[in-house]
Amino acid sequence: MQSFRTELENPIVEKDIIELERKIALFKDGKIDEEKFRSLRLARGVYGQRQQGVQMIRIKLPYGRVSSDQLRRISKVSEEYSTGRLHITTRQDIQIHYVSLDRTPELWAELEKDDVTLREACGNTVRNVTASETAGIDPNEPFDVTPYADATFKYFLRNPVCQEMGRKFKMAFSSSDEDTGLSYLHDLGFIPKVKTINGQEVRGFKVLLGGGLGSQPRHADAVYDFLEADQIIPFIEAVLRIFDRHGERARRNKARMKFLVKDLGLEAFLELVEQEKKALPFSTYPIDAATYDSSQTLPNAPEANLDAEPGLDYELWKLTNVLPQKQEGFVSIGVRVPLGDFYIDQARKLADLVETYANSELRFTLRQNFLIRDVREDLAPYFHQELKKIGLAEGGYNSLADITACPGTDTCNLGIASSTGIAAELEKVILAEYPQYLKNKDLVIKISGCMNACGQHNMAHIGFQGMSMKAGKVVIPALQVLLGGGNLGDGNGRFADKVTKIPSKRGPEALRLLLNDFQENAAGKDFLSYYDEKGQIYFYELLKELGDASTVTPADFIDWGNTEEYKVAVGVGECAGVVLDLVATLLLEAYEKIDLGKEALEEGRWSDSIYHHYAGLINAAKAILLGENVTTNSYANIIAKFDENFVEKGKIDLGGTFAEKVYQINKDEPTEEFAKAYAAQALEIYDLLKSYREEEVEA
């Protein structure tokens, strides 16, 4: 189990994995508080499942790219540590399930042999940086956003600014004004633009801030119509610093960026961002896209033999799954993956196929599919043949029948109803009764198992959200039907209206009513125009009868994909552990952060050192406040409360206020001189606070 310590070439990665292994042991020995251990493992991609004693592992794949070698590596790991099933998420990650906690360090080490990481795939961190799967091949793109998404991922991975924020933070890059990356529903979204400045074409981005889904969706604000490309990293870092400092930490349901922007007001938030710029390590951060662009080559694939002439199924597949590229003579092939689930035998054959006949990579998509890029046009029939052999040649890529759904009650702790079960039933209805919709890419169905919207149900034309409802004295599985959401392009979108609630087993009939009505009455209008014309009440009346709880039958008591009567089971506990002195735990963590700051100082990483020491001071102050039962809800609040309760009352003498000491972080440039002075001050204050705590305990 310890062999990774000598096999891994990257000492930073090796240290990460050893730390996870050590913390697992401490947790099992009852020496780490369960809540703190949860935070640590989530930031390492280890997520508790609905089923006791096993973990879901989220594999972070920036902008959805996976090479043939990486896909083989993921397959090997899934075969050895999991069940052999690979699940594509709506953030272009891969998840594997039913993994033993004890084996996660060696699993991670195996993945890293092909440069695949778990780091910050879950938890209150910068999550996977997503991008349009067509980036680099999109006929409508002004330039390829891939190197910018890649630079963003690399810059913020392990960055001390974003390791323990109040909540997760999501970013997306779209390839063009079609906004297929869905910028408007992210904490930060970027749409590429080109502007002529002094006679030169300059790359930049339209920037959107503060979007999100969940139970209270918010459309992001456009904060820049054009921000030059070398400014995006400093802008992101300043935004993250403000979110880290002022973001809510006590009330989890109010802790996302969208709530902070709403509470502070956009103008005040941006003013704080502007004030933070002096503290940043870079005022500009050029991204070498030219080298990346020039390195891109098209494959020289060999000729391939067909077993037989293509049939009618090929013609439909070609119509819906073969997409034009901006590179002449090449196409991309969209592979529809129902519910995002495929298996390692398929994955291994795919890896070989794209290595030989394409560009040795796949891009996973936001709709839980994948795209094979750079396929010579004459090889499309061969790809259909080979994909058909492994069960991945279904037509209707990105069509109405291509339904997005989160795992729901299959494995998620928060799932209320079966999203995968109802998705499978709706796909059956479309394939059997509405085959014409296999060609329709203007209608989208998305399903989530709860209000958190991992299936993005509230931005779909037709959305379903898992919930429960009362039928007499019995609680039954139900679906909230939402209508009228959609992506309008160029950073504009709309969220769906909640129309009515129905028993889950009536979901297929609801879809039939909606599609029949649309076909008979829309008179050529698109769905959103038709919805706006008729209005929410019209559709409520259309579906009202299905929501009548007095007419439920025994079949309604059982959720899709289940055989037993439904029971609400939300938030099942993850791992057992002894609850320790949380004050002592926080002080220990504070010292660990100061130690990281010392390490960064020795390596000449001045900005990182300053931020680690800053985080250490905040944790130490939080520990002392907790010892006095003083509650806090943000880092800024911790600083203010500490002064109010300890400095102003003369309990602790810092030679000034805590705020004055701590907030030097955004008053001075991150020079070597300041980094060393800030580190010395942080250690001095930590020692004072630790001594105060020890005296209080002894008293």
Side-chain angles (χ1 to χ4, degrees), residues 598-630:
K598 180 183 175 184
E599 185 180 297
L601 195 67
E602 291 168 352
E603 294 172 358
R605 294 183 286 118
W606 315 129
S607 180
D608 286 0
S609 173
I610 293 163
Y611 212 89
H612 280 309
H613 281 99
Y614 160 79
L617 286 175
I618 298 293
N619 269 262
K622 182 178 180 180
I624 303 304
L625 286 164
L626 188 64
E628 301 275 333
N629 294 315
V630 178

Side-chain angles (χ1 to χ4, degrees), residues 572-586:
V572 177
E574 294 181 323
C575 301
V578 179
V579 177
L580 305 178
D581 177 0
L582 190 53
V583 176
T585 302
L586 283 169

Side-chain angles (χ1 to χ4, degrees), residues 469-472 476 501-503 505-506 543-557:
M469 66 185 289
K470 290 289 291 289
I476 65 172
K501 186 196 297 187
I502 61 174
K505 281 295 181 73
R506 302 180 184 183
L543 301 174
K544 181 171 68 173
E545 205 171 297
L546 295 181
D548 185 354
S550 68
T551 62
V552 299
T553 68
D556 292 312
F557 298 168

Side-chain angles (χ1 to χ4, degrees), residues 41-42 45-49 54-56 58 122 413-414 574:
R41 66 170 168 73
L42 286 172
V46 182
Y47 195 98
Q49 277 188 208
V54 290
Q55 314 294 316
M56 177 272 283
R58 184 174 294 150
C122 307
N413 275 326
L414 301 176
E574 294 181 323

Side-chain angles (χ1 to χ4, degrees), residues 645-666:
N645 286 274
F646 294 99
V647 177
E648 292 172 14
K649 292 179 180 179
K651 292 182 179 180
I652 297 177
D653 183 7
L654 301 179
T657 68
F658 188 56
E660 289 168 350
K661 306 287 186 183
V662 173
Y663 281 142
Q664 289 176 40
I665 189 172
N666 63 357

